[in-house]
Amino acid sequence: MTFQPGFTDGRPFAAPLGKIVCVGRNYAAHARELNNEVPTTPLLFIKPASSATPMKERIRVPRHLGEVHFEVEVALLIGTRLSRARPEEVLPAIAGVGLALDLTLRDVQSRLKDKGHPWERAKGFDGACPMSDFVPFDPGTMPLDDLRFSLTIDGERRQTGHTALMLFKAVELIVEMSRSFTLEPGDVILTGTPEGVGALPEGARLEFSLDGHFEITARS
């Protein structure tokens, strides 16, 4: 079933889900924990819409392909078209704020990186992007540079994020993305994951929190 973006107040979003534009290594501590260089420009990649699935449903992954790592991220739903955007155009174009998991086939990714190949097989598989509903965005009450979020697995806090620590803040990031990819209504931006990533256990209880806005419980 195709994932359809919606809001936490129960309203559906007017457009279907488009592309999911992601940034790698946007938290310095996460880059270091994987022994990667800290980037000086955004490291962008795209997940297809077919990778999205509702976060509140059972998270199913292709475990026969090796370890699947969890990476929780703040997700931004685009509401109006952006192309070569100016900074002042970005906030009015954001329709909602949520959370997503950038699931990664880590063994597959390592093999692809060693060969200098693209990552799509590791990042874009069916079910690779569990996604929440979106809080309707109000820049006056929801500062994008001061959002706190977390992921708890079987009662243990595994990831805690604060968007103030992003290397490339949301507005700067979307401006940069829009220079390469026109962003359309229904596109979703994943803003990077904090440190603490690891293998997703099978049959685990996952608790997601966007502080002050919502909590979601899921199963893997």
Side-chain angles (χ1 to χ4, degrees):
M1 181 179 295
T2 302
F3 178 85
Q4 173 61 42
F7 294 104
T8 53
D9 60 11
R11 291 181 295 122
F13 185 64
L17 179 66
K19 58 187 174 292
I20 303 166
V21 187
C22 312
V23 58
R25 310 176 196 171
N26 202 23
Y27 289 80
H30 169 59
R32 288 193 291 263
E33 75 177 341
L34 296 182
N35 297 314
N36 289 320
E37 293 182 0
V38 175
T40 56
T41 57
L43 177 60
L44 304 180
F45 61 97
I46 290 178
K47 286 175 176 273
S50 56
S51 69
T53 186
M55 182 177 277
K56 58 190 175 184
E57 293 184 1
R58 181 74 176 265
I59 297 172
R60 302 182 186 278
V61 294
R63 297 184 180 277
H64 64 285
L65 295 177
E67 279 197 346
V68 181
H69 279 206
F70 57 83
E71 302 182 16
V72 67
E73 314 197 6
V74 170
L76 305 176
L77 176 64
I78 299 298
T80 58
R81 189 175 189 268
L82 290 172
S83 180
R84 300 186 178 277
R86 298 187 301 273
E88 62 270 20
E89 296 176 313
V90 170
L91 293 184
I94 297 173
V97 180
L99 293 177
L101 272 183
D102 173 15
L103 293 178
T104 304
L105 289 166
R106 192 68 74 196
D107 295 336
V108 173
Q109 185 188 41
S110 295
R111 291 195 297 270
L112 292 170
K113 288 171 66 176
D114 288 345
K115 295 177 180 178
H117 291 174
W119 302 350
E120 278 83 357
R121 289 179 181 271
K123 290 281 193 177
F125 58 91
D126 289 353
C129 193
M131 196 177 297
S132 74
D133 287 335
F134 292 85
V135 180
F137 178 57
D138 178 356
T141 61
M142 204 174 194
L144 295 183
D145 294 343
D146 191 24
L147 298 175
R148 297 177 185 272
F149 60 103
S150 64
L151 170 61
T152 299
I153 300 179
D154 286 338
E156 179 184 357
R157 182 68 58 87
R158 299 295 300 272
Q159 287 190 275
T160 300
H162 185 199
T163 55
L165 299 178
M166 293 196 306
L167 296 173
F168 308 103
K169 302 300 192 291
V171 170
E172 176 188 5
L173 188 62
I174 291 174
V175 166
E176 180 68 20
M177 289 175 172
S178 76
R179 291 174 178 164
S180 297
F181 319 109
T182 294
L183 300 174
E184 302 283 1
D187 288 350
V188 171
I189 308 301
L190 299 194
T191 56
T193 195
E195 65 181 320
V197 305
L200 180 66
E202 188 170 4
R205 176 185 171 92
L206 283 67
E207 299 169 78
F208 303 90
S209 175
L210 182 60
D211 288 10
H213 299 285
F214 64 72
E215 296 181 352
I216 295 174
T217 300
R219 285 279 179 183
S220 63

